[in-house]
Amino acid sequence: MAKVGIVGASGYTGAELLRLLAGHPDLEVAVATGDSQAGQPVADLYPSLVGAYGDRTFDTYDPAAVDGLDLVFCALPHGASQAVVPDLRDRVGAVVDLAADFRLADADLYPEWYGEAHTVPDLLAEAAYGLPELFRPDLLGATLVAGPGCYPTAAALALAPLLRAGLVAPTGIVVDAVSGVSGAGRPAKPTTTFCAADGDVTAYGLLRHRHTPEIEQTLTRVAGTAAQVVFTPHLVPMSRGMLATCYSRPVEGTTAADVAAAVADAYAEEAFVSVVPGSPSTKATQGSNAAHVAAHLDERTGWIVSLCALDNLGKGASGAAVQCANLALGLPEGTGLSTIGTYP
Amino acid sequence: MAKVGIVGASGYTGAELLRLLAGHPDLEVAVATGDSQAGQPVADLYPSLVGAYGDRTFDTYDPAAVDGLDLVFCALPHGASQAVVPDLRDRVGAVVDLAADFRLADADLYPEWYGEAHTVPDLLAEAAYGLPELFRPDLLGATLVAGPGCYPTAAALALAPLLRAGLVAPTGIVVDAVSGVSGAGRPAKPTTTFCAADGDVTAYGLLRHRHTPEIEQTLTRVAGTAAQVVFTPHLVPMSRGMLATCYSRPVEGTTAADVAAAVADAYAEEAFVSVVPGSPSTKATQGSNAAHVAAHLDERTGWIVSLCALDNLGKGASGAAVQCANLALGLPEGTGLSTIGTYP
Amino acid sequence: MAKVGIVGASGYTGAELLRLLAGHPDLEVAVATGDSQAGQPVADLYPSLVGAYGDRTFDTYDPAAVDGLDLVFCALPHGASQAVVPDLRDRVGAVVDLAADFRLADADLYPEWYGEAHTVPDLLAEAAYGLPELFRPDLLGATLVAGPGCYPTAAALALAPLLRAGLVAPTGIVVDAVSGVSGAGRPAKPTTTFCAADGDVTAYGLLRHRHTPEIEQTLTRVAGTAAQVVFTPHLVPMSRGMLATCYSRPVEGTTAADVAAAVADAYAEEAFVSVVPGSPSTKATQGSNAAHVAAHLDERTGWIVSLCALDNLGKGASGAAVQCANLALGLPEGTGLSTIGTYP
Amino acid sequence: MAKVGIVGASGYTGAELLRLLAGHPDLEVAVATGDSQAGQPVADLYPSLVGAYGDRTFDTYDPAAVDGLDLVFCALPHGASQAVVPDLRDRVGAVVDLAADFRLADADLYPEWYGEAHTVPDLLAEAAYGLPELFRPDLLGATLVAGPGCYPTAAALALAPLLRAGLVAPTGIVVDAVSGVSGAGRPAKPTTTFCAADGDVTAYGLLRHRHTPEIEQTLTRVAGTAAQVVFTPHLVPMSRGMLATCYSRPVEGTTAADVAAAVADAYAEEAFVSVVPGSPSTKATQGSNAAHVAAHLDERTGWIVSLCALDNLGKGASGAAVQCANLALGLPEGTGLSTIGTYP
């Protein structure tokens, strides 16, 4: 039984880690910190966790308390991980960070898209990007993992097989996506009250959403040449779930059979990715670590429409983090994770 | 007080007409038919209407009963209008059809997209397309109006100003849109139960949705050259509301100021279209006849992202039908209609 | 055209007043204050109002600015009205307060249920309680109206006919009710985020909800003897709507026909209350000023179950306030109000 | 690894059994029938199950196919189990029925509340009622288990400790409850479409809901004297979740401490029942087998308000069925079940 910590356990991704780890046979939560909620019972904030964490309170972060842990999940807001991770790496076996702090290999992208220079740019090269379906070898035994963003995971799973197979152009791509409201985090904001979000769909982060360079980085890596996307996220009235609908241009000669084969081959051995007919449905992945993918060639207009659905807190965040932790620690990759969500 | 009829009043667009007409100072509902619900009290099916239609039942359609009415709204399912409208036109002053039966000017598109030949193709040329913001002159005093589809209205309002001003290419356009569940109509279906739709987003009609040729027809008309779009509708968990997010390619030299001016100019005098900053929000139009539009040029990738939100039963159907009826009957265009929806 | 003001226009009841008054033929909004949002465009906070209030900003409250208005609506949080209303009454023709500040005739109930002594207890006797269906004569030409709470309105409309007819005991009554989330107001709180409220039902204010003494006051008044209720409100995942399910004990000899007659007679002449079979449905009243009522005698167990559905922002707040304003100003009671909500 | 069957696997309780059993370490699904969906891939109807049941189709029910199974779950509609269970009992080790067919010990109640005489009344005495928290000894090694109704489970968990401790009167009880829409089953109905249920709360089955005698049977059993309740269920806009708010009359001398102690003692050793402060929240139990309970004495009015939240498909149906199956088969009671739901 490996001992793990969660730094920033009081947010939604932290709470989802607590949920997943309560059912994980090989990992035990030794420490769960939440500075803004320190001292508060876990079950006060998350009554859903009362059966498994009835006696526990959120701890204040204390470096000594994590010393010697096998692995620590960092579920802090973006920017906060940079301050903690360098020290953490000296204390624990491995770190899986769920923020954006170690996702971009090019430090110059941080000031451009996140508004601030990276404080430990040298560490970026040491971080493995936590998308096992595309970059598994990097993750085996990794000591620093950057868990991908939810939108970048959905976009990458929908587009990477086509780019890897050379079937589509790497530029001119449109990624139009929707997310459930939990993607905006636990703190109450005017835009995420029930009354604001219920019955509403709206786009946000138009042209400038921070996940854009991360999507481009992954697509560039699989394409082997610079990829470019316009990305439009939308907020939709549901708690969990994400769907990316991606539009790319087939290269001359690409057939529907090529498209189908590229996707089928890419995921034939992947436990957490299913290729589905028609359109994937976000609800089919709710509460699980599954991603569902489909791709269609429109011969009439010369577009390929490829889609990916996942749970933004599952495969889009905490589920993926556990999957990566399993790989980092040498455990079977799917330990403690499920492909089956709650339905309905 | 003009006398009007509603044929097919028991569906959602029919019920919305009943709601709007109860508050219309110049139109009186003389006849409301609903063959599948004939004899049933209106208030049994729509308790929301009990205060205004407490004593009324849905009638069986009877040609004699509509004789001499000033105008009839046809809110029948697609295909059914073709059978009724030719006779209706001899009996009543004007017909506003809410189905797709008279939307496409080219009869050949019906077998291709709707699976059946049109039975009265000669009538197509006589129908005015009911989008006053683009084609108002055709609607003044019209005797046959084809009310536009909800998606085509949203896509046209987002894209037409750019095409008309010659700022974007008419092909290679992506229309990615979401709709509330009322767009699927009142009858219970496995895909529209609460448990299926709640918490779910899924695409449907991939590559082949019937509104595609209608979108292209309108864009072609305003561009003056053949337009082409790939169109992906999605179902989202809300009752009402529609958002179209449209991606088009600016022609060389187009600036952000050009884009802003094209949209502002197009709608400066339009009571029911507001240009908004950022992204429109479907909820801001809920229950009203308003459409909210925004447009943004992405210089980084060379795309224009333009969006339109509306209520699929309001400006997307019954509200637009009343607006057209006003024009057909020579009433002030906005009579009985509101720009303000219920919020929250 | 009478000139009115809204003090506290930036909250949900204020915004609903703005919506209703935009369509009111005899009232014009001369002033709309919102101290916390002063200077902000109305349409920034409520994009739904852009079509009618596109140029207006929320004002800071300035006594001089309201001088001479025919009527002012106070839509401030509880407690704030007491500080403003005494001065306001000298400046304007009439005041309709939507808070709890003038609802309870017995000043001693304020410290007990609201935690603070009333600062102008002498004014309580001058306030007319704004439930026209029960106390219409008090409201004709009133200069100070206390708009009722949403739960008290629903409970009173469900129970008053039975108590007035002497059919049920005035004690031992259970009022179990649900409310949409807008009842909690616009400001973001941890309990009213989308993620907290979606998919959740929970009771709140158990045994001590502030609307309890107001319910008892109204029932006592109609019963002519002290009434007592246990009241349990619940939050349910919808934006608007309220249902009160009330349990009372029939006095010896009460028959089902007595129950039906009492309810039917009470509301036979009421434009905004409909008696419905089975159970009322909150959605049937959404966006309107309607209340739907039903009552059933259970001979097996000796309980009467009576129910009332309404829109908490309509008949439960701003709709009722406009209805009372009409009465205060001598206008036809239903001017500018609708019995038809948006459906679906 | 015991082999089990699911008869009626295509409904929501059947699908939830498939989900739970996919993660159950000691039970293997050998047969899953769904006559109305026979031959259809499980993943077509439930894409959420594609990762675990990707190759399986629903079978037609064939008695020979279940021969020798260790246990069969019957998840058929009410009435259908009576026809199948007598034969099933000769073929398999144990039967856990999720319908109402074997819940009521008094056969005379079936014609009164279910409209039809029971066809195998002699079997009723052999069925153990599947509420382990109240009747565990009956379930150990049971060969026929009647899984309780969802409302009866919630009402019983909220009220039984008070009745067992003799703190409340067994009559005059009010059970006011809400359910998510999945309680109405998978088939599409006019009342359960998204557009009908979204934004709506309505009562149903007023005075005559079939779960009434089942609630009374359980309360009578624990009270030792005839219990009587008036029961009002409501439909609320969420997929899963149930809350029962129960009102009972304390006997002379009952104190708040007595109430708290009765509830705490009753569930101190129960893994799936947590006593919570304030009100339980349905969402805290979503997807789990947990029930959350609270109880409060109102000294002012002389009522005890006790509440129970659970997931109608979890502890209210399929979770409870697995819990009972574990007891019937001699497995640890909680095997394959979780107290933690998905949140948010």
Side-chain angles (χ1 to χ4, degrees):
Chain A
M1 186 72 98
K3 287 185 187 302
V4 305
I6 306 172
V7 177
S10 66
Y12 283 155
T13 56
E16 183 75 349
L17 285 168
L18 285 170
R19 177 176 83 91
L20 293 172
L21 295 175
H24 195 295
D26 298 322
L27 301 182
E28 179 193 339
V29 180
V31 177
T33 80
D35 283 8
S36 68
Q37 310 292 332
Q40 191 178 5
V42 168
D44 278 13
L45 208 59
Y46 294 102
S48 57
L49 297 173
V50 67
Y53 296 94
D55 299 329
R56 194 186 280 258
T57 56
F58 289 110
D59 300 323
T60 302
Y61 179 65
D62 170 7
V66 299
D67 257 347
L69 292 181
D70 296 290
L71 184 143
V72 164
F73 295 95
C74 270
L76 296 168
H78 174 76
S81 292
Q82 294 171 38
V84 174
V85 165
D87 174 66
L88 255 186
R89 296 193 77 208
D90 293 337
R91 298 178 182 273
V92 306
V95 174
V96 176
D97 184 43
L98 283 80
D101 292 60
F102 299 97
R103 290 178 190 159
L104 300 178
D106 177 357
D108 292 344
L109 291 171
Y110 282 97
E112 182 181 346
W113 291 88
Y114 287 86
E116 282 190 306
H118 204 282
T119 57
V120 284
D122 293 351
L123 259 186
L124 293 173
E126 298 183 32
Y129 189 72
L131 198 42
E133 290 77 7
L134 297 183
F135 311 115
R136 184 167 286 113
D138 301 350
L139 293 160
L140 294 162
T143 60
L144 177 58
V145 175
C150 46
Y151 288 117
T153 296
L157 293 176
L159 288 163
L162 306 173
L163 285 160
R164 218 169 228 177
L167 300 179
V168 297
T171 59
I173 294 173
V174 173
V175 176
D176 191 287
V178 301
S179 174
V181 184
S182 62
R186 192 180 59 79
K189 301 170 199 166
T191 52
T192 61
T193 62
F194 186 86
C195 287
D198 174 56
D200 190 39
V201 176
T202 190
Y204 64 100
L206 280 161
L207 313 184
R208 293 293 306 160
H209 192 279
R210 293 167 164 197
H211 284 176
T212 307
E214 186 183 344
I215 297 171
E216 292 179 345
Q217 172 181 281
T218 300
L219 300 187
T220 295
R221 197 164 160 198
V222 298
T225 178
Q228 196 183 53
V229 306
V230 62
F231 167 50
T232 311
H234 300 77
L235 201 64
V236 294
M238 60 189 189
S239 290
R240 289 168 171 243
M242 173 163 285
L243 181 74
T245 303
C246 306
Y247 302 83
S248 56
R249 287 291 197 183
V251 299
E252 184 84 30
T254 299
T255 66
D258 294 337
V259 170
V263 175
D265 292 354
Y267 301 125
E269 304 298 319
E270 293 298 337
F272 293 110
V273 184
S274 293
V275 181
V276 300
S279 168
S281 146
T282 64
K283 191 164 190 168
T285 67
Q286 181 178 265
S288 80
N289 194 49
H292 291 187
V293 171
H296 304 273
L297 171 66
D298 185 17
E299 301 197 355
R300 194 180 72 90
T301 60
W303 282 104
I304 292 173
V305 183
S306 59
L307 308 99
C308 176
L310 49 77
D311 183 330
N312 56 300
L313 294 178
K315 182 62 178 164
S318 304
V322 171
Q323 189 180 356
C324 290
N326 288 337
L327 290 168
L329 295 172
L331 298 169
E333 185 173 336
T335 312
L337 295 168
S338 175
T339 61
I340 312 183
T342 52
Y343 189 96
Chain B
M1 185 72 97
K3 288 187 185 301
V4 305
I6 305 172
V7 177
S10 65
Y12 283 155
T13 56
E16 184 74 351
L17 285 169
L18 286 170
R19 177 174 85 90
L20 294 171
L21 295 176
H24 197 295
D26 299 321
L27 301 182
E28 180 194 337
V29 179
V31 177
T33 79
D35 282 7
S36 68
Q37 309 291 333
Q40 193 178 3
V42 166
D44 278 12
L45 207 60
Y46 294 101
S48 58
L49 297 175
V50 68
Y53 297 94
D55 298 329
R56 194 186 280 259
T57 57
F58 289 111
D59 300 322
T60 303
Y61 179 65
D62 170 8
V66 299
D67 256 347
L69 293 180
D70 295 291
L71 184 143
V72 165
F73 296 96
C74 270
L76 298 168
H78 174 75
S81 292
Q82 293 171 40
V84 174
V85 166
D87 173 66
L88 256 185
R89 297 193 76 207
D90 294 335
R91 297 177 182 273
V92 306
V95 174
V96 176
D97 184 43
L98 284 80
D101 292 61
F102 298 96
R103 291 178 189 159
L104 300 178
D106 178 356
D108 292 346
L109 292 170
Y110 282 97
E112 182 181 346
W113 291 90
Y114 286 85
E116 283 188 304
H118 203 283
T119 57
V120 283
D122 293 352
L123 260 186
L124 293 173
E126 298 183 31
Y129 189 72
L131 199 43
E133 290 76 9
L134 298 183
F135 311 115
R136 183 168 288 113
D138 301 350
L139 293 159
L140 294 162
T143 59
L144 177 57
V145 175
C150 46
Y151 288 118
T153 296
L157 292 176
L159 288 162
L162 306 173
L163 285 160
R164 218 167 228 180
L167 299 179
V168 297
T171 59
I173 294 173
V174 173
V175 176
D176 191 285
V178 302
S179 174
V181 184
S182 61
R186 192 180 59 81
K189 302 170 197 166
T191 52
T192 60
T193 62
F194 185 87
C195 288
D198 174 56
D200 190 40
V201 176
T202 190
Y204 64 100
L206 280 161
L207 313 184
R208 293 292 308 160
H209 192 280
R210 295 168 164 196
H211 284 176
T212 307
E214 186 183 343
I215 297 171
E216 292 179 344
Q217 171 181 283
T218 299
L219 300 186
T220 294
R221 197 165 158 195
V222 296
T225 177
Q228 194 183 54
V229 306
V230 62
F231 168 49
T232 312
H234 300 77
L235 202 65
V236 295
M238 59 191 188
S239 291
R240 288 168 172 246
M242 173 163 286
L243 182 73
T245 303
C246 306
Y247 302 84
S248 57
R249 288 291 198 183
V251 299
E252 185 83 31
T254 299
T255 67
D258 296 337
V259 170
V263 175
D265 293 352
Y267 302 124
E269 305 299 320
E270 294 298 337
F272 294 110
V273 184
S274 293
V275 180
V276 300
S279 167
S281 145
T282 63
K283 191 166 188 166
T285 67
Q286 182 177 264
S288 80
N289 194 49
H292 291 186
V293 170
H296 304 273
L297 170 65
D298 186 17
E299 301 197 354
R300 195 180 71 89
T301 59
W303 282 105
I304 292 174
V305 182
S306 59
L307 309 97
C308 177
L310 49 78
D311 182 331
N312 56 300
L313 294 178
K315 182 62 178 162
S318 305
V322 171
Q323 189 180 355
C324 291
N326 289 337
L327 289 168
L329 295 172
L331 298 168
E333 183 173 338
T335 313
L337 295 168
S338 175
T339 62
I340 310 182
T342 53
Y343 186 95
Chain C
M1 187 70 98
K3 286 187 186 302
V4 304
I6 305 173
V7 177
S10 66
Y12 283 154
T13 56
E16 183 74 351
L17 285 169
L18 286 169
R19 177 175 82 90
L20 293 172
L21 295 175
H24 196 294
D26 299 320
L27 302 182
E28 179 193 339
V29 180
V31 177
T33 80
D35 282 8
S36 68
Q37 310 291 333
Q40 193 179 2
V42 167
D44 278 13
L45 207 58
Y46 294 102
S48 56
L49 297 174
V50 68
Y53 297 93
D55 299 329
R56 194 186 280 259
T57 58
F58 290 110
D59 300 323
T60 303
Y61 179 65
D62 171 6
V66 300
D67 258 347
L69 293 181
D70 296 291
L71 185 142
V72 165
F73 295 96
C74 270
L76 297 167
H78 174 74
S81 292
Q82 295 170 39
V84 173
V85 165
D87 174 67
L88 254 186
R89 294 193 78 208
D90 294 336
R91 297 178 183 275
V92 306
V95 174
V96 176
D97 184 43
L98 285 79
D101 292 61
F102 298 96
R103 290 178 191 160
L104 300 178
D106 177 358
D108 292 345
L109 291 170
Y110 282 97
E112 183 182 344
W113 290 91
Y114 285 87
E116 281 190 306
H118 204 282
T119 58
V120 284
D122 293 350
L123 259 186
L124 294 173
E126 298 184 31
Y129 189 72
L131 198 44
E133 290 76 8
L134 298 183
F135 312 115
R136 183 168 289 113
D138 301 351
L139 294 160
L140 293 162
T143 60
L144 176 57
V145 176
C150 45
Y151 288 118
T153 296
L157 293 177
L159 288 163
L162 306 173
L163 284 161
R164 218 167 228 182
L167 299 180
V168 298
T171 60
I173 294 173
V174 173
V175 176
D176 191 287
V178 302
S179 174
V181 184
S182 62
R186 190 181 59 81
K189 301 170 198 165
T191 51
T192 59
T193 62
F194 186 86
C195 287
D198 173 55
D200 191 37
V201 176
T202 190
Y204 66 100
L206 278 162
L207 314 185
R208 295 291 310 160
H209 192 279
R210 294 166 164 200
H211 283 176
T212 307
E214 186 183 343
I215 297 171
E216 292 180 346
Q217 170 180 284
T218 300
L219 300 187
T220 294
R221 198 166 159 196
V222 297
T225 179
Q228 195 183 53
V229 306
V230 62
F231 167 50
T232 310
H234 300 78
L235 202 65
V236 296
M238 58 191 189
S239 290
R240 291 168 169 243
M242 172 162 290
L243 182 73
T245 304
C246 306
Y247 301 84
S248 56
R249 288 291 198 182
V251 299
E252 185 82 30
T254 300
T255 65
D258 296 337
V259 170
V263 175
D265 292 353
Y267 301 125
E269 304 299 318
E270 294 297 338
F272 293 110
V273 184
S274 293
V275 181
V276 300
S279 169
S281 146
T282 64
K283 191 165 191 168
T285 67
Q286 181 177 265
S288 80
N289 194 47
H292 290 186
V293 170
H296 303 273
L297 170 66
D298 186 17
E299 300 196 356
R300 194 180 73 89
T301 61
W303 282 104
I304 292 174
V305 183
S306 58
L307 309 98
C308 177
L310 49 77
D311 182 329
N312 56 299
L313 294 177
K315 182 62 180 162
S318 305
V322 172
Q323 189 179 355
C324 291
N326 288 337
L327 289 169
L329 296 172
L331 297 168
E333 185 174 336
T335 312
L337 295 169
S338 174
T339 62
I340 311 184
T342 52
Y343 188 95
Chain D
M1 187 69 101
K3 287 186 187 302
V4 305
I6 305 172
V7 177
S10 65
Y12 283 155
T13 56
E16 183 74 350
L17 285 169
L18 286 169
R19 177 175 82 92
L20 294 172
L21 295 175
H24 196 295
D26 299 322
L27 301 182
E28 180 194 339
V29 180
V31 176
T33 78
D35 283 8
S36 68
Q37 310 290 334
Q40 192 180 3
V42 167
D44 278 13
L45 207 57
Y46 294 102
S48 57
L49 297 174
V50 67
Y53 297 94
D55 298 329
R56 194 187 280 258
T57 56
F58 289 110
D59 300 322
T60 303
Y61 179 64
D62 170 6
V66 299
D67 257 346
L69 293 180
D70 295 292
L71 185 142
V72 165
F73 295 95
C74 270
L76 297 168
H78 173 75
S81 292
Q82 295 171 38
V84 174
V85 166
D87 174 67
L88 255 185
R89 295 193 77 208
D90 294 337
R91 297 177 183 274
V92 305
V95 174
V96 176
D97 183 44
L98 284 81
D101 292 60
F102 298 96
R103 290 178 190 160
L104 300 178
D106 178 356
D108 291 345
L109 292 170
Y110 281 97
E112 183 181 345
W113 291 89
Y114 286 86
E116 283 191 305
H118 203 284
T119 57
V120 283
D122 293 352
L123 258 186
L124 293 174
E126 298 184 30
Y129 189 72
L131 199 43
E133 289 77 9
L134 298 182
F135 311 115
R136 185 169 288 112
D138 301 351
L139 293 160
L140 294 162
T143 59
L144 176 58
V145 175
C150 45
Y151 288 117
T153 295
L157 293 176
L159 288 163
L162 305 174
L163 285 161
R164 219 169 226 179
L167 299 179
V168 297
T171 58
I173 295 171
V174 173
V175 176
D176 191 286
V178 303
S179 174
V181 185
S182 61
R186 191 180 59 81
K189 301 169 200 167
T191 52
T192 60
T193 61
F194 186 86
C195 287
D198 174 55
D200 190 39
V201 176
T202 190
Y204 65 99
L206 279 162
L207 313 184
R208 295 291 309 160
H209 191 279
R210 293 169 164 195
H211 283 176
T212 306
E214 187 183 343
I215 297 171
E216 292 180 345
Q217 171 181 284
T218 299
L219 299 187
T220 294
R221 197 166 159 194
V222 297
T225 179
Q228 195 183 53
V229 306
V230 62
F231 167 51
T232 312
H234 301 77
L235 202 66
V236 296
M238 59 190 188
S239 290
R240 289 169 171 243
M242 172 162 289
L243 181 73
T245 302
C246 306
Y247 302 84
S248 57
R249 288 292 199 182
V251 299
E252 185 81 33
T254 299
T255 66
D258 295 337
V259 170
V263 174
D265 293 354
Y267 302 124
E269 305 299 320
E270 294 297 337
F272 293 110
V273 184
S274 294
V275 180
V276 300
S279 168
S281 146
T282 63
K283 192 164 189 168
T285 67
Q286 182 177 263
S288 80
N289 194 47
H292 290 187
V293 171
H296 304 274
L297 172 65
D298 186 17
E299 300 197 354
R300 194 179 73 89
T301 60
W303 282 105
I304 292 174
V305 182
S306 59
L307 309 97
C308 176
L310 49 78
D311 183 330
N312 56 299
L313 294 178
K315 183 61 179 164
S318 304
V322 171
Q323 189 180 356
C324 291
N326 289 337
L327 289 168
L329 295 172
L331 298 168
E333 185 174 335
T335 312
L337 295 169
S338 175
T339 63
I340 311 182
T342 52
Y343 187 96

